[in-house]
Amino acid sequence: MRYLQDTFLPSYAGAIDAGTGTVMVDSGSINGVPATASHYLLTTLLRDRLGFKGVVISDFGDVPALASTYHIAPDLAGAAALAVNAGVDMTMLPFNADQWQAAMQQDVKNGSITIARINEAVRRILTLKFEVGLFDHPMVDASAANAEVKAGRDVALTAARESITLLRNQNNVLPLSPSANVVVTGPSADSMTNQLGGWSVSWQGVFGAGHVCCMGPPDQIPPGTTVLQGMKSEDPNVVSAPDQATAVQDAASADAVVVAVGEKAYAEGLGDNPAPQLTPSQKDLISALEATGKPVIVVVIAGRPVGIGPAEHADGLLMAYQGSTEAGQAVADVIFGKVNPSGKLPVSWPSDAATPGGDFNGGAPSPLGDQPKFFDLLPATSFGQGSGYNPLYPFGFGLSYTTFQTSGLSATSSVSRDGTVTASFTVTNTGSRAGTDIVPVYVHQPVSAVLVPNQRLVGFARVSLDPGQSKTVQVSFPVTELAVTPGDIQGTGSPQLELGAYQAQVGAMSAGFTIHR
């Protein structure tokens, strides 16, 4: 419970404080109690402690699953009583509403659910519907649908440009000249469907994995720009190679090769994989291209870090994520230097995501399943292969076409337990190109009553600078973010702030501050 409260819930608290209107309940269980039936999770934690005021909805079919899968209720009526009394306001049960209504009526009749609780849930649901305008505009304007699909492409492009993460740039191979002879290849080079993740149009994405689903039309591909299209729009000398043999042949007369690889769209359980990695054919393609001796730039289009095999040694490596309909244009903008990459990894890239025998760690065997490499790892006395924090690329990693330096860190020296600490530091662009740096601010607690990560992320600054320019920035955070659950192993009380000494950290710099009553 301490792990749940201290590590995971603070992020949800941020969303709730920002005014989120709905929360969906997880399908799993914690400590033997399904979340859908947990009054502690849905009422004590979510509403009483986190202050959520909106609508709680179950995930698909999870209320009847309390009887049919978890067997903690004898029938739908019993399951409904458990869920509603725990805090579920709306159940996602679209195909048998009549059964749900009969079950609820049975529960009210026998006193399992009170009319007051039903009124409470209905009031929340109706309030939300009024707030989002469903009573003002109950019907969709079909004539405006196409405009809505096409809207926001400029915002999507900005998001894709800012999120792309440069992981490797040997001998400054990037950016390429916009007049370079470039071969573009790979299964994701000209695939809009691979740029869009699960739930983008339908459950498993557009044409996702051959799975049939009722959640949306599988044949509507929204307008956008693929990697190949984006590259061709920036460089007239770009050629497309549809297969490995052609790509290797064309590489002979090319200045560089761009190979777009990754995963297809997925969602939920169908995407579960203890060691996601590039397919053997993608690894073979990269190896064959590297053997040509020409610079190879690998673009990974995926929703998560994957084992990249030979791409670990590529001249250039970009993580483009599943970056929307405009990911292809964003990739081209970064490769040709129109955009200086500024993205940082929001997760660690595991060092052991490859197959046994290992493409990582210098070829040493890498056990499957020993991942992910959590950045906020708790202190431990373990050691040896697979222990500790040793990712291929750490949390927050990301290169730029310029260089930055931070200096002059200071922090509020003393603050009360309901106060705010402000960290101040200077960022300088020490390179020859304009660029943007994202500087994380961490807190280290030298001594704590319970285990806490060596560093806890409390904020970051996004700083855009011309060559040689410096800027002093401030990052503030409430010290309540440092609260931890007190007590022994069985502790379930509200997180509390420990008084005493802390350190704000930026890079190798530290600035101490004290929290007092």
Side-chain angles (χ1 to χ4, degrees):
M1 195 54 62
R2 175 176 286 111
Y3 190 41
L4 173 71
Q5 292 195 147
D6 298 356
T7 302
F8 294 101
L9 289 187
S11 296
Y12 289 88
I16 290 169
D17 292 343
T20 189
T22 59
V23 165
M24 178 175 282
V25 187
D26 177 72
S27 298
S29 62
I30 297 178
N31 201 21
V33 177
T36 307
S38 173
H39 185 273
Y40 179 78
L41 284 177
L42 304 185
T43 300
T44 302
L45 278 182
L46 182 61
R47 295 199 180 276
D48 297 345
R49 295 185 184 176
L50 296 179
F52 179 64
K53 305 296 183 185
V55 173
V56 173
I57 183 171
S58 78
D59 206 341
F60 186 90
D62 279 354
V63 173
L66 296 177
S68 62
T69 300
Y70 286 117
H71 306 295
I72 65 170
D75 50 27
L76 180 59
L82 287 174
V84 171
N85 289 328
V88 172
D89 299 310
M90 178 185 291
T91 183
M92 191 188 297
L93 207 66
F95 301 125
N96 50 357
D98 55 333
Q99 296 177 28
W100 174 256
Q101 181 168 308
M104 291 288 288
Q105 290 173 334
Q106 177 181 330
D107 286 333
V108 170
K109 185 175 181 179
N110 65 26
S112 297
I113 302 176
T114 66
I115 289 293
R117 172 66 187 109
I118 292 177
N119 286 339
E120 179 182 54
V122 171
R123 208 162 23 242
R124 291 168 179 161
I125 294 167
L126 292 179
T127 298
L128 177 65
K129 290 186 175 185
F130 274 111
E131 288 175 345
V132 300
L134 291 183
F135 291 103
D136 298 324
H137 306 285
M139 302 298 291
V140 171
D141 181 1
S143 65
N146 285 339
E148 288 298 318
V149 170
K150 296 177 181 178
R153 288 184 63 177
D154 54 341
V155 178
L157 177 58
T158 298
R161 285 169 168 169
E162 293 184 358
S163 64
I164 286 179
T165 308
L166 178 62
L167 299 175
R168 185 173 169 85
N169 192 19
Q170 289 300 101
N171 301 317
N172 294 318
V173 65
L174 293 174
L176 299 179
S177 166
S179 60
N181 294 311
V182 182
V183 176
V184 177
T185 189
S188 295
D190 198 27
S191 173
M192 178 57 60
T193 62
N194 286 7
Q195 292 178 197
L196 306 177
W199 289 109
S200 55
V201 174
S202 63
W203 180 34
Q204 295 294 316
V206 190
F207 292 118
H211 297 289
V212 178
C213 179
C214 56
M215 298 300 178
D219 57 350
Q220 294 184 3
I221 301 177
T225 308
T226 65
V227 171
L228 177 62
Q229 292 168 344
M231 296 282 291
K232 283 188 171 182
S233 70
E234 299 294 330
D235 183 353
N237 298 316
V238 166
V239 297
S240 172
D243 53 54
Q244 179 172 316
T246 305
V248 171
Q249 176 180 318
D250 291 349
S253 58
D255 298 311
V257 180
V258 172
V259 53
V261 295
E263 291 186 296
K264 295 182 179 180
Y266 56 85
E268 302 185 28
L270 293 175
D272 287 353
N273 187 335
Q277 57 185 295
L278 300 182
T279 62
S281 62
Q282 293 182 80
K283 292 181 180 180
D284 289 345
L285 173 61
I286 295 170
S287 294
L289 292 171
E290 290 177 341
T292 67
K294 293 300 178 75
V296 175
I297 294 92
V298 176
V299 178
V300 179
I301 297 179
R304 57 193 171 191
V306 295
I308 54 177
E312 180 188 359
H313 308 293
D315 298 280
L317 179 62
L318 287 171
M319 178 56 167
Y321 308 92
Q322 288 173 319
S324 83
T325 57
E326 307 311 307
Q329 184 61 53
V331 167
D333 291 342
V334 168
I335 285 178
F336 289 119
K338 187 175 179 180
V339 169
N340 191 344
S342 61
K344 306 291 185 181
L345 285 179
V347 293
S348 298
W349 199 295
S351 58
D352 47 7
T355 55
D359 293 306
F360 305 106
N361 296 325
S366 301
L368 289 172
D370 182 30
Q371 56 177 315
K373 292 295 183 185
F374 292 107
F375 166 75
D376 52 356
L377 197 68
L378 293 177
T381 58
S382 60
F383 61 93
Q385 184 179 358
S387 67
Y389 183 66
N390 56 347
L392 181 63
Y393 295 109
F395 172 83
F397 182 81
L399 302 175
S400 170
Y401 295 152
T402 189
T403 55
F404 300 95
Q405 185 177 58
T406 56
S407 59
L409 174 64
S410 64
T412 308
S413 61
S414 182
V415 64
S416 64
R417 64 197 321 163
D418 59 353
T420 297
V421 169
T422 297
S424 177
F425 51 92
T426 299
V427 184
T428 303
N429 184 342
T430 55
S432 58
R433 287 176 176 263
T436 299
D437 195 19
I438 299 174
V439 185
V441 177
Y442 299 99
V443 164
H444 171 69
Q445 187 177 0
V447 179
S448 58
V450 297
L451 298 186
V452 295
N454 186 50
Q455 288 184 313
R456 286 182 275 178
L457 180 68
V458 291
F460 60 88
R462 182 180 177 87
V463 191
S464 297
L465 299 168
D466 291 326
Q469 183 183 8
S470 295
K471 186 179 294 185
T472 298
V473 295
Q474 294 182 331
V475 174
S476 298
F477 60 93
V479 294
T480 51
E481 291 188 7
L482 304 174
V484 294
T485 302
D488 208 326
I489 292 173
Q490 80 278 20
T492 59
S494 298
Q496 297 178 15
L497 189 63
E498 291 187 311
L499 305 182
Y502 294 78
Q503 296 173 354
Q505 297 183 336
V506 174
M509 300 181 294
S510 294
F513 64 93
T514 302
I515 301 177
H516 58 79
R517 293 188 184 276

